[in-house]
Amino acid sequence: MSRVPMFGVVLLVAVGAVLLAPLPLPPASVRTSVAIARSPGAVFDYVTTPGNWPRWHPSSLAVAGATDHSLRVGEVVDEDFIVAGYQGRVRWTVVQRQVPERWAIAGKIEDGGSGKVSYRLTAVDGGTLFEREFDYARPNLLFLLADQLRVRRQVTAESAEALRRLKAVLEGLAPAPRMAGPDRRAAAAVPAS
């Protein structure tokens, strides 16, 4: 049985420390948009009501807390999620609300990560241009590498799918999936345009 040279152990520890060291890296940002044939008010009310999130966003598994109405600044909701293969729980706090143009939430993940989701809604001929921006922290070089290799691509695909589903649900092209379990209570009805 051979012994690993001390130099190799030290090098391995040093590389690990560099990869995992907290760094002030800028957040990653994923922007998606879709035109929806509904009024900005109808879209705003639907997307800012957390009970609706599992109906249209593939990453949203369940929500708890203030879930049955369009959230106001300072209100909080917990969400169980799976993003790019990572499953966790985040506590979202509403940090901006301008009905029906803008809404934003800042989140803290139980294991220490963070993110921000912002919505911008603009009235356009025939409905609403809905723009969603998801900013997420990249706390170290290891996560930065994973983000470049896999995470960003998956987050972008999940975000695009979410907006495709949102459009289908709000335009009545697809029924909202039936939710099961106590955290997936019936969501508020889609308001008329």
Side-chain angles (χ1 to χ4, degrees), residues 119-184:
Y119 299 156
R120 174 183 277 179
L121 297 88
T122 307
V124 294
D125 188 33
T128 301
L129 174 62
F130 177 71
E131 298 171 277
R132 180 180 184 273
E133 184 172 357
F134 175 43
D135 298 324
Y136 56 94
R138 298 181 297 177
N140 55 48
L141 289 177
L142 183 61
F143 190 91
L144 179 65
L145 181 61
D147 189 52
Q148 296 299 315
L149 294 175
R150 180 175 161 260
V151 173
R152 179 185 297 267
R153 186 173 64 249
Q154 285 188 267
V155 170
T156 300
E158 290 167 5
S159 294
E161 174 62 16
L163 269 55
R164 185 196 67 73
R165 290 181 184 186
L166 177 65
K167 178 180 177 72
V169 168
L170 287 177
E171 291 181 355
L173 303 174
R178 296 182 65 88
M179 300 296 125
D183 289 330
R184 293 188 175 192

Side-chain angles (χ1 to χ4, degrees), residues 22 45 57 59 69 74 77 84 88 135:
D45 287 345
H57 204 296
S59 296
H69 62 280
V77 66
D135 298 324

Side-chain angles (χ1 to χ4, degrees), residues 4-18:
V4 176
M6 183 56 89
F7 176 75
V9 171
V10 170
L11 182 61
L12 187 59
V13 169
V15 168
V18 168

Side-chain angles (χ1 to χ4, degrees), residues 64-101:
T67 64
D68 64 348
H69 62 280
S70 175
L71 298 187
R72 296 172 294 280
V73 171
E75 286 192 281
V76 173
V77 66
D78 293 322
E79 179 184 30
D80 293 329
F81 68 88
I82 184 163
V83 173
Y86 175 78
Q87 192 165 348
R89 178 171 268 233
V90 61
R91 172 157 285 176
W92 295 109
T93 302
V94 180
V95 295
Q96 181 182 28
R97 179 184 169 95
Q98 292 175 279
V99 180
E101 297 93 20

Side-chain angles (χ1 to χ4, degrees), residues 3-64:
R3 292 185 173 188
V4 176
M6 183 56 89
F7 176 75
V9 171
V10 170
L11 182 61
L12 187 59
V13 169
V15 168
V18 168
L19 288 174
L20 296 174
L23 295 174
L25 297 169
S29 186
V30 173
R31 296 177 184 179
T32 48
S33 64
V34 67
I36 300 172
R38 297 294 300 265
S39 72
V43 176
F44 185 93
D45 287 345
Y46 190 81
V47 298
T48 62
T49 300
N52 294 328
W53 298 349
R55 294 176 179 249
W56 62 274
H57 204 296
S59 296
S60 184
L61 303 177
V63 294

